[in-house]
Amino acid sequence: MSGYNPYDNVLATLESAAKVLGYESSEYEVLKYPERTLRVAVPVRMDDGSVKVFEGYRVQHSTVRGPAKGGLRFHPDVNMDEVSALAAWMTFKCAVAGIPYGGGKGGVAVDPKKLSKTELQNLTRSFTKAIAPIIGPEVDIPAPDVGTTPEIMGWIVDTYSTLKGSFTPGVVTGKPIELGGSLGRGEATGRGITITAKNALKALGRELKGATVAVQGMGNVGSVSAKLIHAAGAKIVAVSDVSTGIYNANGLNIPDILAFVAGGKNLLKDYKGDVEFIDNGQLLTLDVDLLVPAAMENMINQDNAANIRAKLIVEGANGPTTVEADAILEQKGIPVIPDILANAGGVVVSYFEWVQNLQQFYWDEATVNQRLENIMNDAFRNVWETAQEKKVSMRTAAYVVAVRRIVETLQMKGSI
Ligand code: NAD
């Protein structure tokens, strides 16, 4: 899918939602452009004494409804178009969830697996200094994404706090608990996906218990989704990571597989269990009740969409389905619960973490999980009802809910 620009995906979906709402282009034109983009050089002292310079980005797509909010990605393919698309998705995601944030995203074009721990820390501190002028608890709050971890968030807190002269845990979320992280944040995205999968199956007259499931990606999102979907009584027949997919028609031994890949210490290609090895393409086209793509964007595209046989797709990753694929799936009658609704659990608990940092008052895990469930249930109900009322797909309905909230905020501010 080289040459594919994910920002085109954002614009196409925004247009279709605005059309359903009957908006003039002047009412939502501003949402087509990121408010602020920053490209930075990230010099890093390597272990051999040399200095390497990496390219980094921070994009604030919108601060209409609150501070920009969104993760940092360390991955070789990171570029301005990708970061801008991810930032825009955060704007719409926060609006669908009804939390008081805009959208942002950032990243560095680097393969973190090729760095030593010292080099990774040097890179993180150098990048933090470069973006420090535009981040902060009241303006822009990063978090983990692909290739970044709670430990990395801890280094960001330390660097930012040193620059500002006071301990500022609210500058990022997804931190270790000892540094002001929230209980439940690590599992929040997967928990939100599981709640959404249950809600979607219920709305379609089915249930998660006993459903057959395939999960693409065994990182934070995929592995927690697999764990909680399995715990809810579903039969997970296939999972995958970048190295391979594994399959067992009778259901995989999920606890054993999760222990094997925990912390990214092993790849599935080295897993020794009662499984058949399949590739990621085969996993996506399995005949299952539920498919959860939880790896990277553009995985379901015009080359494979016609072969998808899943009865429901709940998007764990950001942007896993291209616009072309979406149209094919709609024609085939396969409902897709969009990323901005399904994977909002992470940013919702990031919001809780930030609230706890600002209040210096911490909640127990049961409170976090209950409040998460309430927000995910409300967001699902809102989008489902909008889809029924407007006779549109769940993706368009989610954008309708989000765009309406943002445009109404702009109107109330007198900005448009
Ligand atoms: P991660 O780095 O922890 O895991 C990514 C997983 O995808 C790994 O198992 C990796 O092996 C696999 N993968 C990478 N390339 C692949 C390929 N070409 N084919 C198959 N598998 C591949 O990342 P994550 O935090 O789990 O995020 C996954 C997705 O979910 C991303 O799109 C991210 O933006 C999105 N997301 C993450 C969060 C969060 O809280 N972490 C929240 C919302 C959305």
Side-chain angles (χ1 to χ4, degrees):
M1 290 305 291
S2 65
Y4 186 83
N5 181 347
Y7 205 76
D8 294 339
N9 211 329
V10 173
L11 294 178
T13 327
L14 172 60
E15 288 290 350
S16 53
K19 201 165 142 201
V20 173
L21 285 161
Y23 285 161
E24 304 277 324
S25 68
S26 60
E27 288 173 287
Y28 66 95
E29 185 71 12
V30 65
L31 294 176
K32 293 185 185 168
Y33 303 89
E35 263 176 38
R36 179 180 286 129
T37 60
L38 179 67
R39 186 191 298 265
V40 294
V42 186
V44 180
R45 173 78 62 191
M46 307 299 282
D47 290 346
D48 64 4
S50 66
V51 171
K52 258 196 189 169
V53 182
F54 297 88
E55 192 149 26
Y57 310 86
R58 184 71 191 169
V59 173
Q60 296 167 353
H61 172 262
S62 170
T63 56
V64 170
R65 287 173 45 86
K69 183 86 193 81
L72 295 174
R73 182 173 288 197
F74 288 178
H75 189 277
D77 297 341
V78 164
N79 60 63
M80 190 58 101
D81 285 333
E82 183 188 69
V83 173
S84 300
L86 290 164
W89 282 322
M90 288 306 298
T91 301
F92 301 119
K93 189 182 299 184
C94 292
V96 169
I99 56 177
Y101 284 141
K105 206 82 180 192
V108 180
V110 61
D111 185 349
K113 291 195 194 76
K114 293 200 174 133
L115 301 182
S116 71
K117 192 152 173 186
T118 311
E119 290 167 342
L120 186 62
Q121 187 172 151
N122 290 347
L123 173 98
T124 304
R125 290 187 185 278
S126 178
F127 178 59
T128 307
K129 285 180 204 157
I131 64 169
I134 68 161
I135 62 170
E138 272 134 35
V139 284
D140 183 356
I141 307 131
D145 190 65
V146 177
T148 56
T149 59
E151 185 177 35
I152 290 175
M153 297 305 115
W155 298 333
I156 296 176
V157 169
D158 187 55
T159 309
Y160 186 84
S161 298
T162 306
L163 288 171
K164 296 290 160 188
S166 64
F167 182 51
T168 316
V171 66
V172 289
T173 56
K175 299 177 290 287
I177 301 296
E178 295 74 14
L179 276 179
S182 176
L183 294 170
R185 172 62 183 89
E187 293 206 335
T189 307
R191 185 173 297 279
I193 288 164
T194 309
I195 294 166
T196 304
K198 265 189 206 160
N199 281 332
L201 285 163
K202 192 167 162 210
L204 294 164
R206 295 179 234 141
E207 59 177 322
L208 187 54
K209 191 162 188 253
T212 54
V213 184
V215 179
Q216 184 191 39
M218 277 288 99
N220 175 295
V221 179
S223 61
V224 177
S225 301
K227 175 181 150 185
L228 298 178
I229 287 171
H230 172 75
K235 184 161 83 176
I236 302 196
V237 295
V239 297
S240 70
D241 64 13
V242 68
S243 73
T244 188
I246 55 176
Y247 173 78
N248 184 330
N250 297 319
L252 294 167
N253 183 342
I254 292 299
D256 191 54
I257 293 164
L258 293 180
F260 183 74
V261 297
K265 63 180 187 289
N266 290 307
L267 287 171
L268 287 176
K269 71 177 171 46
D270 299 319
Y271 181 70
K272 309 236 178 322
D274 181 17
V275 300
E276 189 184 316
F277 286 89
I278 58 172
D279 63 33
N280 266 284
Q282 288 170 294
L283 177 137
L284 292 174
T285 55
L286 287 172
D287 184 3
V288 285
D289 297 318
L290 170 65
L291 171 64
V292 181
M296 303 290 280
E297 56 262 32
N298 303 340
M299 290 293 174
I300 302 175
N301 50 54
Q302 58 191 351
D303 300 336
N304 60 13
N307 301 326
I308 303 269
R309 289 181 292 163
K311 294 181 189 66
L312 169 69
I313 298 175
V314 174
E315 293 184 335
N318 287 313
T321 312
T322 65
V323 178
E324 295 79 9
D326 234 3
I328 297 169
L329 294 171
E330 204 169 341
Q331 245 173 21
K332 284 171 67 100
I334 300 174
V336 179
I337 310 302
D339 46 10
I340 63 165
L341 171 64
N343 71 24
V347 74
V348 168
V349 177
S350 272
Y351 164 56
F352 296 162
E353 178 176 332
W354 176 77
V355 167
Q356 293 171 76
N357 294 152
L358 297 183
Q359 295 181 337
Q360 301 273 358
F361 176 67
Y362 288 85
W363 313 345
D364 61 32
E365 191 164 355
T367 303
V368 170
N369 290 344
Q370 187 56 56
R371 287 181 171 161
L372 169 65
E373 188 162 351
N374 294 348
I375 288 185
M376 295 304 296
N377 286 344
D378 282 353
F380 183 86
R381 192 168 40 247
N382 233 314
V383 174
W384 180 265
E385 286 172 5
T386 303
Q388 307 297 307
E389 182 202 326
K390 305 275 187 197
K391 301 194 173 23
V392 293
S393 70
M394 285 293 279
R395 188 181 314 280
T396 303
Y399 277 78
V400 164
V401 170
V403 172
R404 183 165 44 204
R405 283 183 177 156
I406 301 164
V407 169
E408 283 175 359
T409 310
L410 281 166
Q411 284 165 344
M412 285 170 202
K413 286 179 170 180
S415 307
I416 51 169

Short mmCIF file of all heavy atoms in Angstrom, two decimals, residues 15-45:
data_model
loop_
_atom_site.label_atom_id
_atom_site.label_comp_id
_atom_site.label_asym_id
_atom_site.label_seq_id
_atom_site.Cartn_x
_atom_site.Cartn_y
_atom_site.Cartn_z
N GLU A 15 -15.63 14.56 5.25
CA GLU A 15 -16.57 15.04 4.22
C GLU A 15 -17.90 14.30 4.31
O GLU A 15 -18.97 14.90 4.24
CB GLU A 15 -16.00 14.82 2.81
CG GLU A 15 -14.86 15.74 2.41
CD GLU A 15 -15.27 17.19 2.20
OE1 GLU A 15 -16.48 17.48 2.18
OE2 GLU A 15 -14.37 18.04 2.10
N SER A 16 -17.82 12.97 4.46
CA SER A 16 -19.09 12.23 4.45
C SER A 16 -19.92 12.56 5.68
O SER A 16 -21.16 12.64 5.61
CB SER A 16 -18.89 10.73 4.25
OG SER A 16 -17.99 10.24 5.18
N ALA A 17 -19.25 12.78 6.82
CA ALA A 17 -20.01 13.13 8.03
C ALA A 17 -20.64 14.52 7.88
O ALA A 17 -21.81 14.73 8.24
CB ALA A 17 -19.09 13.11 9.25
N ALA A 18 -19.87 15.47 7.34
CA ALA A 18 -20.38 16.84 7.19
C ALA A 18 -21.57 16.86 6.24
O ALA A 18 -22.53 17.61 6.43
CB ALA A 18 -19.25 17.75 6.68
N LYS A 19 -21.51 15.99 5.22
CA LYS A 19 -22.62 15.90 4.25
C LYS A 19 -23.89 15.41 4.95
O LYS A 19 -24.99 15.97 4.76
CB LYS A 19 -22.21 14.94 3.12
CG LYS A 19 -22.99 15.13 1.86
CD LYS A 19 -22.31 14.41 0.72
CE LYS A 19 -23.36 13.80 -0.18
NZ LYS A 19 -22.84 12.72 -1.00
N VAL A 20 -23.75 14.38 5.79
CA VAL A 20 -24.91 13.86 6.52
C VAL A 20 -25.50 14.96 7.42
O VAL A 20 -26.71 15.07 7.57
CB VAL A 20 -24.49 12.63 7.38
CG1 VAL A 20 -25.63 12.18 8.28
CG2 VAL A 20 -24.04 11.48 6.49
N LEU A 21 -24.62 15.77 8.00
CA LEU A 21 -25.07 16.84 8.90
C LEU A 21 -25.61 18.05 8.13
O LEU A 21 -26.17 18.97 8.74
CB LEU A 21 -23.91 17.28 9.80
CG LEU A 21 -23.56 16.30 10.93
CD1 LEU A 21 -22.16 16.56 11.45
CD2 LEU A 21 -24.58 16.41 12.07
N GLY A 22 -25.40 18.07 6.81
CA GLY A 22 -25.86 19.18 6.00
C GLY A 22 -25.08 20.47 6.25
O GLY A 22 -25.61 21.57 6.09
N TYR A 23 -23.81 20.34 6.66
CA TYR A 23 -23.00 21.53 6.95
C TYR A 23 -22.46 22.16 5.67
O TYR A 23 -22.10 21.46 4.72
CB TYR A 23 -21.80 21.16 7.84
CG TYR A 23 -22.13 20.91 9.29
CD1 TYR A 23 -21.26 20.21 10.11
CD2 TYR A 23 -23.31 21.40 9.86
CE1 TYR A 23 -21.55 19.97 11.45
CE2 TYR A 23 -23.60 21.17 11.20
CZ TYR A 23 -22.73 20.46 11.98
OH TYR A 23 -23.01 20.23 13.30
N GLU A 24 -22.39 23.49 5.68
CA GLU A 24 -21.68 24.24 4.64
C GLU A 24 -20.19 24.00 4.87
O GLU A 24 -19.77 23.84 6.02
CB GLU A 24 -21.90 25.75 4.83
CG GLU A 24 -23.32 26.22 4.85
CD GLU A 24 -23.85 26.41 3.46
OE1 GLU A 24 -23.06 26.84 2.61
OE2 GLU A 24 -25.02 26.10 3.22
N SER A 25 -19.38 24.06 3.80
CA SER A 25 -17.95 23.79 3.99
C SER A 25 -17.31 24.79 4.96
O SER A 25 -16.39 24.45 5.70
CB SER A 25 -17.20 23.75 2.66
OG SER A 25 -17.18 25.03 2.11
N SER A 26 -17.84 26.03 5.01
CA SER A 26 -17.24 27.03 5.91
C SER A 26 -17.37 26.62 7.39
O SER A 26 -16.60 27.05 8.22
CB SER A 26 -17.93 28.38 5.71
OG SER A 26 -19.30 28.26 6.00
N GLU A 27 -18.35 25.75 7.68
CA GLU A 27 -18.56 25.36 9.08
C GLU A 27 -17.52 24.35 9.59
O GLU A 27 -17.25 24.29 10.77
CB GLU A 27 -19.97 24.80 9.27
CG GLU A 27 -21.03 25.89 9.19
CD GLU A 27 -22.44 25.32 9.22
OE1 GLU A 27 -22.86 24.73 8.19
OE2 GLU A 27 -23.12 25.47 10.24
N TYR A 28 -16.96 23.54 8.65
CA TYR A 28 -16.01 22.52 9.12
C TYR A 28 -14.66 22.59 8.40
O TYR A 28 -13.77 21.77 8.69
CB TYR A 28 -16.63 21.12 8.97
CG TYR A 28 -16.87 20.71 7.53
CD1 TYR A 28 -15.93 19.95 6.85
CD2 TYR A 28 -18.02 21.10 6.87
CE1 TYR A 28 -16.15 19.60 5.52
CE2 TYR A 28 -18.23 20.76 5.55
CZ TYR A 28 -17.30 20.00 4.88
OH TYR A 28 -17.50 19.66 3.58
N GLU A 29 -14.50 23.59 7.52
CA GLU A 29 -13.27 23.72 6.74
C GLU A 29 -12.02 23.66 7.62
O GLU A 29 -11.02 23.00 7.29
CB GLU A 29 -13.31 25.06 5.97
CG GLU A 29 -12.16 25.32 5.02
CD GLU A 29 -12.19 24.44 3.77
OE1 GLU A 29 -13.23 23.78 3.53
OE2 GLU A 29 -11.17 24.41 3.07
N VAL A 30 -12.09 24.31 8.78
CA VAL A 30 -10.92 24.42 9.66
C VAL A 30 -10.43 23.04 10.12
O VAL A 30 -9.24 22.83 10.36
CB VAL A 30 -11.25 25.35 10.86
CG1 VAL A 30 -12.32 24.76 11.75
CG2 VAL A 30 -10.00 25.67 11.65
N LEU A 31 -11.36 22.07 10.19
CA LEU A 31 -10.98 20.74 10.67
C LEU A 31 -10.16 19.96 9.65
O LEU A 31 -9.62 18.90 9.95
CB LEU A 31 -12.23 19.94 11.05
CG LEU A 31 -13.00 20.49 12.26
CD1 LEU A 31 -14.27 19.71 12.49
CD2 LEU A 31 -12.11 20.45 13.49
N LYS A 32 -10.09 20.47 8.42
CA LYS A 32 -9.30 19.77 7.39
C LYS A 32 -7.81 20.01 7.57
O LYS A 32 -7.00 19.35 6.95
CB LYS A 32 -9.71 20.27 5.99
CG LYS A 32 -11.11 19.89 5.60
CD LYS A 32 -11.34 20.33 4.18
CE LYS A 32 -12.77 20.09 3.74
NZ LYS A 32 -13.05 20.78 2.48
N TYR A 33 -7.47 21.00 8.40
CA TYR A 33 -6.05 21.37 8.55
C TYR A 33 -5.59 21.20 9.99
O TYR A 33 -6.31 21.60 10.90
CB TYR A 33 -5.86 22.84 8.15
CG TYR A 33 -6.32 23.13 6.74
CD1 TYR A 33 -7.63 23.50 6.49
CD2 TYR A 33 -5.44 22.99 5.68
CE1 TYR A 33 -8.07 23.73 5.19
CE2 TYR A 33 -5.87 23.23 4.38
CZ TYR A 33 -7.18 23.60 4.15
OH TYR A 33 -7.60 23.82 2.87
N PRO A 34 -4.38 20.64 10.18
CA PRO A 34 -3.86 20.63 11.55
C PRO A 34 -3.60 22.07 12.00
O PRO A 34 -3.10 22.88 11.22
CB PRO A 34 -2.51 19.89 11.43
CG PRO A 34 -2.50 19.26 10.08
CD PRO A 34 -3.45 20.02 9.21
N GLU A 35 -3.96 22.37 13.25
CA GLU A 35 -3.74 23.73 13.78
C GLU A 35 -2.26 24.09 13.80
O GLU A 35 -1.88 25.22 13.51
CB GLU A 35 -4.23 23.79 15.24
CG GLU A 35 -5.61 24.33 15.41
CD GLU A 35 -6.04 24.25 16.88
OE1 GLU A 35 -5.23 24.47 17.80
OE2 GLU A 35 -7.21 23.93 17.09
N ARG A 36 -1.43 23.13 14.23
CA ARG A 36 0.01 23.43 14.36
C ARG A 36 0.81 22.15 14.09
O ARG A 36 0.46 21.08 14.60
CB ARG A 36 0.29 23.92 15.79
CG ARG A 36 1.75 24.22 16.05
CD ARG A 36 1.99 24.70 17.46
NE ARG A 36 1.54 26.06 17.69
CZ ARG A 36 0.75 26.44 18.69
NH1 ARG A 36 0.29 25.56 19.54
NH2 ARG A 36 0.42 27.70 18.84
N THR A 37 1.86 22.28 13.27
CA THR A 37 2.74 21.14 13.03
C THR A 37 4.17 21.56 13.37
O THR A 37 4.59 22.67 13.06
CB THR A 37 2.70 20.67 11.56
OG1 THR A 37 3.11 21.74 10.72
CG2 THR A 37 1.33 20.20 11.15
N LEU A 38 4.89 20.65 14.00
CA LEU A 38 6.27 20.95 14.37
C LEU A 38 7.15 19.78 13.90
O LEU A 38 6.85 18.62 14.18
CB LEU A 38 6.35 21.09 15.91
CG LEU A 38 7.72 21.36 16.51
CD1 LEU A 38 8.22 22.74 16.11
CD2 LEU A 38 7.64 21.28 18.04
N ARG A 39 8.20 20.13 13.18
CA ARG A 39 9.16 19.12 12.72
C ARG A 39 10.48 19.43 13.42
O ARG A 39 10.93 20.58 13.39
CB ARG A 39 9.32 19.24 11.20
CG ARG A 39 10.17 18.19 10.55
CD ARG A 39 10.45 18.59 9.11
NE ARG A 39 9.23 18.70 8.32
CZ ARG A 39 8.74 17.74 7.56
NH1 ARG A 39 9.37 16.60 7.45
NH2 ARG A 39 7.63 17.93 6.87
N VAL A 40 11.06 18.45 14.08
CA VAL A 40 12.27 18.74 14.86
C VAL A 40 13.41 17.78 14.52
O VAL A 40 13.16 16.63 14.12
CB VAL A 40 11.99 18.66 16.39
CG1 VAL A 40 11.03 19.75 16.82
CG2 VAL A 40 11.48 17.29 16.80
N ALA A 41 14.63 18.26 14.68
CA ALA A 41 15.81 17.40 14.60
C ALA A 41 16.06 16.83 15.99
O ALA A 41 15.95 17.55 16.98
CB ALA A 41 17.00 18.21 14.13
N VAL A 42 16.36 15.54 16.05
CA VAL A 42 16.57 14.88 17.34
C VAL A 42 17.97 14.28 17.37
O VAL A 42 18.18 13.13 16.98
CB VAL A 42 15.50 13.78 17.56
CG1 VAL A 42 15.62 13.21 18.97
CG2 VAL A 42 14.09 14.30 17.30
N PRO A 43 18.96 15.06 17.83
CA PRO A 43 20.33 14.54 17.88
C PRO A 43 20.50 13.58 19.06
O PRO A 43 20.02 13.87 20.16
CB PRO A 43 21.19 15.79 18.07
CG PRO A 43 20.27 16.83 18.62
CD PRO A 43 18.87 16.47 18.26
N VAL A 44 21.16 12.46 18.81
CA VAL A 44 21.30 11.45 19.87
C VAL A 44 22.76 10.98 19.94
O VAL A 44 23.35 10.59 18.93
CB VAL A 44 20.40 10.21 19.57
CG1 VAL A 44 20.57 9.16 20.68
CG2 VAL A 44 18.95 10.62 19.46
N ARG A 45 23.30 11.04 21.15
CA ARG A 45 24.65 10.48 21.38
C ARG A 45 24.52 8.96 21.44
O ARG A 45 23.81 8.43 22.28
CB ARG A 45 25.20 11.04 22.70
CG ARG A 45 26.49 10.45 23.15
CD ARG A 45 27.70 10.99 22.42
NE ARG A 45 27.88 12.43 22.62
CZ ARG A 45 28.75 13.17 21.92
NH1 ARG A 45 29.48 12.62 20.95
NH2 ARG A 45 28.87 14.46 22.16
#
